[in-house]
Amino acid sequence: MSLSNTPSRPVGHALVEALIAQGVHTCFGVPGESYLAVLDGMHQHREHIRFIACRQEGGAAFMAEAQGKLSGQPGVCFVTRGPGATNASIGVHTAFQDSTPMVLFVGQVASDQRDREAFQEIDYRQMFGPGTLGLAKWVGEVHSADRLPEYVARAFHTAQQGRPGPVVLVLPEDMLTTLTTAPVLPRAQAVRAWPAPGGLRELRALLLAAQRPLLLVGGPGWDAESAQALQRFAENWQLPVACGFRFQDTFDNRHPQYAGDVGIGINPRLAARVREADLVIALGLRLGEMTTGGYTLLAAPRPAQKLVHIHPGPEELGRVYAADLLLQAAMPAAARALEALTAPPVLPWAGQAEAAHADYEANLVAPAVAPLDMAVVVKTLQARLPADTVYTNGAGNYSGWLHRYCRYPGLQHQGRTQLAPTSGAMGYGLPAAVAAALLYPERTVLNLAGDGDFLMNGQELATAMAYGARRLISVVVDNGTYGTIRMHQEREYPGRVSGSDLHNPDFAALARAYGWHGAFCERTQDFAPALDAAIAAGRPALIHLKLDAEVSTSRTTLSAIRAAALKA
């Protein structure tokens, strides 16, 4: 690829050249006057890179995060100063908690206006506060035009190294129009840490001493090869394998050793298996609140189980848990090392993996619900959509049906197929689906959203239409309430409902107004025909489902929750 041969060009153009050198082909954002020079650079190099103009910075940031999660390379987002950056902060927080590589570029006021509280001025180092409980891994501001390539290279290295995450790079408006002759630097490549050989010997010794081991997997950095190596390790040692919260596509859900997902709405039998394990190997996960059941399945700081924690980021090891063995390693390196560990011919836990999978299979069976059965809805989606379909969701009780009944094929078979925020951010699902549909136009993308969740970024329906996200289907579950909050209200203040009711539009009509195919159904038997019509529509499609608020989760009802609270 030939970039600009002009020895001197505006920094905005040089920045676009640097992005192309980093392998970036798509950026998301909302245009702003603070970085017009960059937009002009996008036009200059439009054959090599595209700018997806979104309708709100929160949606744009979610799209960049989703692209980073899908591709393993940093997703890129551009926003303007002040409100643009604050709107985008939700995507940065999601990228941090989900360990997703991402770079957010923020236009800044001109250098001669700094520290006067100029129009929309913010100190982004203070706002994004890098650190273990901040929003970003690093925040930098480019003051010298000639140092721009250095800052961009550092941003991409930092976003990918160790535990991946978001980086914020601030661009003063006047700096972007300055001329520079700075060269483009080589593409950043993440350095992969390998587990120490002595640590692997310790891990094998712990396995040989175990009676009830469990392998808990997830987190960032997996690819098809490492997922395949993970499967071979699990098979060699006949280990039950569970996936962490919203990392269900790390391991093939149909594999006879798959035990289910450890997160919100966990199968009670799997929860018991985690508690009763005498060795837990946590591979790639950061062992957050959701995956540990509020730090109870694995008691913090010293769990009852022997614990091996393998993670790419050294700052995560020992941060919460005093594990018996800590190993820093990137997942491709860790999985390849683990599959080389030889297992003895006879293992004392033989048959436990099959029993765990039988528990998982039993959890897929549930009593019928009328008039609309969400279990049947999810199973119908799986039956009619291609195996490589990407499923997205935001936050809300509705996602429990997707987590319980969707069977992900595993990274080694179809690549990443699950996009869901471990940060619990509402409004994530639709923008993530748009990003997935644009990154993989040949794949079907299914977004399952709640009514409250959907309207937080419903305007990105327009972005999907504008850029041809043709094979995108959104299913909106409308129960007229912020379901998760209503559930907690009934538990804590039974019968005292306040602030959780919703008054919704006709979502199908709203979709049609944007040019989408739109349909409505409120009975189980109507869903399959509606889905078939959506698949055949040849354009983005939305199916509006009407669900009674009484159907609170995949396991219980509001009445049952209220009755239990009143009895207590």
Side-chain angles (χ1 to χ4, degrees):
M1 178 179 64
S2 175
L3 295 174
S4 173
N5 294 317
T6 306
S8 182
R9 72 278 197 210
V11 171
H13 288 213
L15 172 56
V16 175
E17 294 173 7
L19 293 176
I20 296 171
Q22 292 297 329
V24 177
H25 53 76
T26 301
C27 301
F28 302 92
V30 175
E33 66 272 23
S34 60
Y35 67 95
L36 290 177
V38 178
L39 294 173
D40 190 61
M42 294 282 182
H43 180 270
Q44 178 76 15
H45 296 293
R46 60 190 178 278
E47 293 182 1
H48 304 297
I49 193 168
R50 61 177 176 171
F51 180 83
I52 304 297
C54 306
R55 306 312 289 262
Q56 206 260 9
E57 292 88 355
F62 279 147
M63 290 184 201
E65 193 279 343
Q67 178 150 315
K69 195 172 278 174
L70 279 172
S71 68
Q73 302 299 314
V76 174
C77 182
F78 279 89
V79 298
T80 196
R81 58 192 179 236
T86 55
N87 283 342
S89 64
I90 188 172
V92 178
H93 179 252
T94 297
F96 194 92
Q97 290 228 322
D98 287 40
S99 303
T100 302
M102 175 180 169
V103 180
L104 175 71
F105 292 94
V106 181
Q108 177 60 296
V109 301
S111 302
D112 61 355
Q113 299 175 8
R114 291 299 305 276
D115 299 323
R116 293 174 173 172
E117 197 183 348
F119 181 60
Q120 299 180 335
E121 182 182 7
I122 291 176
D123 184 335
Y124 297 105
R125 287 192 176 94
Q126 293 290 325
M127 173 182 164
F128 288 101
T132 56
L133 289 177
L135 293 182
K137 289 184 71 175
W138 175 58
V139 182
E141 184 164 338
V142 186
H143 293 290
S144 169
D146 291 337
R147 291 186 63 188
L148 172 83
E150 171 194 340
Y151 276 85
V152 173
R154 179 177 174 184
F156 277 77
H157 275 288
T158 303
Q160 299 177 78
Q161 296 286 64
R163 174 187 168 186
V167 167
V168 178
L169 205 54
V170 183
L171 309 168
E173 183 176 357
D174 56 331
M175 187 275 301
L176 290 173
T177 59
T178 305
L179 298 180
T180 183
T181 58
V184 172
L185 295 180
R187 183 171 181 172
Q189 299 290 341
V191 177
R192 290 179 174 175
W194 282 78
L200 292 171
R201 288 192 294 270
E202 288 185 56
L203 192 155
R204 187 173 187 274
L206 287 167
L207 274 168
L208 292 175
Q211 297 292 316
R212 299 177 305 281
L214 177 71
L215 182 57
L216 183 57
V217 301
W222 294 95
D223 55 22
E225 291 74 22
S226 56
Q228 188 62 54
L230 164 66
Q231 181 175 312
R232 287 191 289 265
F233 167 60
E235 291 170 345
N236 291 341
W237 288 86
Q238 301 178 41
L239 294 167
V241 182
C243 291
F245 178 55
R246 292 181 169 170
F247 287 108
Q248 291 167 252
D249 60 354
T250 308
F251 195 83
D252 185 352
N253 294 185
R254 289 181 170 82
H255 192 280
Q257 290 171 231
Y258 181 65
D261 66 297
V262 182
I264 297 174
I266 185 173
N267 181 353
R269 291 187 178 182
L270 178 55
R273 191 173 295 275
V274 176
R275 291 190 185 96
E276 294 164 6
D278 60 359
L279 173 64
V280 173
I281 302 173
L283 182 55
L285 296 157
R286 67 180 183 88
L287 295 177
E289 179 186 356
M290 295 298 106
T291 296
T292 62
Y295 308 103
T296 61
L297 295 178
L298 293 171
R302 186 66 173 169
Q305 310 92 328
K306 294 281 187 183
L307 176 62
V308 176
H309 194 187
I310 305 174
H311 195 274
E315 74 284 354
E316 194 60 36
L317 296 169
R319 176 182 173 190
V320 176
Y321 287 98
D324 297 272
L325 177 61
L326 299 170
L327 294 174
Q328 183 194 357
M331 290 308 98
R336 287 175 60 187
L338 290 173
E339 73 166 323
L341 290 182
T342 56
V346 178
L347 293 163
W349 58 82
Q352 290 182 20
E354 289 77 8
H357 187 69
D359 289 344
Y360 164 72
E361 293 280 354
N363 191 50
L364 298 174
V365 179
V369 176
L372 181 64
D373 192 329
M374 286 299 301
V376 176
V377 166
V378 174
K379 292 176 181 180
T380 303
L381 290 169
Q382 289 256 281
R384 280 172 156 75
L385 297 180
D388 66 348
T389 295
V390 177
Y391 293 86
T392 78
N393 63 269
N397 275 4
Y398 71 88
S399 64
W401 282 280
L402 190 63
H403 296 341
R404 181 174 176 180
Y405 298 111
C406 187
R407 309 186 75 175
Y408 295 94
L411 279 162
Q412 70 269 43
H413 300 304
Q414 303 293 348
R416 184 140 297 242
T417 52
Q418 183 183 33
L419 291 177
T422 66
S423 68
M426 293 182 70
Y428 177 87
L430 179 63
V434 174
L438 295 179
L439 181 62
Y440 298 128
E442 74 286 355
R443 293 172 69 175
T444 298
V445 180
L446 189 284
N447 165 233
L448 186 67
D451 44 357
D453 172 76
F454 182 83
L455 279 183
M456 289 196 176
N457 274 306
Q459 72 281 346
E460 302 305 341
L461 292 168
T463 307
M465 285 299 296
Y467 294 94
R470 186 174 59 86
R471 302 186 66 175
L472 168 57
I473 300 171
S474 185
V475 177
V476 179
V477 183
D478 172 10
N479 64 354
T481 184
Y482 285 119
T484 305
I485 308 307
R486 176 69 184 278
M487 174 185 70
H488 289 303
Q489 281 181 328
E490 294 291 358
R491 284 176 175 165
E492 302 298 327
Y493 305 96
R496 298 172 65 84
V497 180
S498 175
S500 54
D501 288 337
L502 294 174
H503 301 279
N504 290 319
D506 180 335
F507 288 102
L510 179 65
R512 289 192 290 269
Y514 280 96
W516 287 45
H517 169 85
F520 173 83
C521 64
E522 52 188 342
R523 300 183 304 166
T524 304
Q525 59 267 37
D526 296 334
F527 180 71
L531 178 60
D532 290 341
I535 295 170
R539 55 192 165 120
L542 183 146
I543 303 174
H544 178 179
L545 303 183
K546 190 64 180 175
L547 184 69
D548 194 318
E550 172 68 9
V551 185
S552 181
T553 73
S554 70
R555 298 188 185 280
T556 190
T557 64
L558 287 180
S559 294
I561 294 168
R562 186 184 311 118
L566 290 170
K567 184 177 180 181

